[in-house]
Amino acid sequence: MRTGDRSLWPYLLIAPTVAGGAFLLLYPLLKAAVISFQHFRMGELIRGGAAFVGLENYAELLSGPEFWQVVLRTLAWTAINVVLIVGLGTGLALMLPRLRRGLRLALMSALALAWATPIIAATTVFQWLFQSELGVVNWLLVTLGFDSFQGYTWFASGPATFAVLVILVVWQSVPFAALTLYAGLTTIPVELFESARIDGGTAWQVFSKVTFPMLRSIFALITSLEVIWVAKCFPQIWVLSQGGPDDATTTLPVYAFKIARVLHRYDLGSAVAMLTVLILAVALISNLRRMVRSEA
């Protein structure tokens, strides 16, 4: 079966997978979009017949201060995590080629294991580590002379809980950034680094003039993926704090879930979800446009 010189078989073979993937991705998104324009509460969930209310749900969200507080918290949460992930990932990627083979293999294996750890399992481990009475973190800090951490309750304080979640998410995400950047580093000709050093370039100059320009597209891709992963982060926050204490760790995905689950406002929760998708789309499209322009 041919059209001109091109066989249709490859397209026919991948068509079921593409169609199934598109359905699984697009149907929930479209369904959430429809619900966000309806009056959809517990009654409509049971008996059906939800009425369209236009932009009422969006107007209710955008006119209230709580939504904007959550947006600002989500932006801060995303920015802090992404900066730490990309920064630490870059440092590890640059360090790996300088290690001996055995040590490099051990570090890469540790990174791969951390990355492969299931999210809920890792979150549970962090709950144990930061437990007030028997946690390893408090014991270590007290051993080092910080007596104020004796019996310190991490999850009773908003900033402390936020910090624990940042540590958890960064620990889970750095391996992907580090290993991806290290793979990119191996594609850069060694001669470029040697020439830069012979010309008297410092470590920063070698990175800014050689490494970063050569890996610009990889940095842009990693940053985009991490923004998506961090911004939509839900299991870690819900298992560890459920958005508390005092909503200190409530980000947009958690906020949408709490509205739908506690208040049974499925319409308002869907509106939050759609606004989250819109914010991410705007951020990512602008980032990808810059990446394309830099390669042109």
Side-chain angles (χ1 to χ4, degrees), residues 165-180:
L165 283 166
V166 167
I167 295 171
L168 169 60
V169 171
V170 169
W171 176 81
Q172 290 178 314
S173 304
V174 161
F176 169 76
L179 294 175
T180 303

Side-chain angles (χ1 to χ4, degrees), residues 144-168:
L144 293 175
F146 299 96
D147 296 332
S148 60
F149 284 93
Q150 180 70 46
Y152 182 73
T153 306
W154 290 86
F155 303 117
S157 165
T161 306
F162 192 94
V164 172
L165 283 166
V166 167
I167 295 171
L168 169 60

Side-chain angles (χ1 to χ4, degrees), residues 249-267:
T249 58
T250 297
T251 58
L252 283 171
V254 179
Y255 184 56
F257 182 76
K258 288 171 72 173
I259 289 176
R261 181 176 182 267
V262 177
L263 302 179
H264 301 294
R265 291 291 306 275
Y266 306 109
D267 45 9

Side-chain angles (χ1 to χ4, degrees), residues 192-207 209-210:
L192 293 178
F193 297 113
E194 294 176 347
S195 299
R197 295 190 184 98
I198 290 173
D199 291 339
T202 63
W204 170 249
Q205 289 173 330
V206 172
F207 175 78
K209 302 297 184 182
V210 178

Side-chain angles (χ1 to χ4, degrees), residues 91-270:
L92 285 171
L94 295 173
M95 183 181 68
L96 281 169
R98 294 170 171 80
L99 299 177
R100 294 180 179 178
R101 183 182 179 188
L103 187 58
R104 181 167 65 249
L105 181 60
L107 180 56
M108 291 177 67
S109 300
L111 290 171
L113 287 173
W115 189 23
T117 304
I119 292 176
I120 301 301
T123 305
T124 303
V125 169
F126 267 70
Q127 283 181 313
W128 295 340
L129 290 175
F130 287 90
Q131 205 271 339
S132 59
E133 297 297 333
L134 303 175
V136 174
V137 173
N138 281 357
W139 169 81
L140 181 60
L141 291 172
V142 171
T143 302
L144 293 175
F146 299 96
D147 296 332
S148 60
F149 284 93
Q150 180 70 46
Y152 182 73
T153 306
W154 290 86
F155 303 117
S157 165
T161 306
F162 192 94
V164 172
L165 283 166
V166 167
I167 295 171
L168 169 60
V169 171
V170 169
W171 176 81
Q172 290 178 314
S173 304
V174 161
F176 169 76
L179 294 175
T180 303
L181 288 171
Y182 172 69
L185 280 172
T186 60
T187 66
I188 301 177
V190 180
E191 293 79 8
L192 293 178
F193 297 113
E194 294 176 347
S195 299
R197 295 190 184 98
I198 290 173
D199 291 339
T202 63
W204 170 249
Q205 289 173 330
V206 172
F207 175 78
S208 60
K209 302 297 184 182
V210 178
T211 306
F212 183 77
M214 295 290 290
L215 300 181
R216 187 187 303 272
S217 59
I218 296 181
F219 273 103
L221 179 62
I222 289 174
T223 302
S224 299
L225 293 176
E226 293 300 342
V227 166
I228 295 173
W229 195 80
V230 172
K232 71 181 185 64
C233 184
F234 174 81
Q236 298 93 325
I237 299 175
W238 188 255
V239 171
L240 205 65
S241 67
Q242 294 188 355
D246 298 326
D247 293 330
T249 58
T250 297
T251 58
L252 283 171
V254 179
Y255 184 56
F257 182 76
K258 288 171 72 173
I259 289 176
R261 181 176 182 267
V262 177
L263 302 179
H264 301 294
R265 291 291 306 275
Y266 306 109
D267 45 9
L268 207 60
S270 296

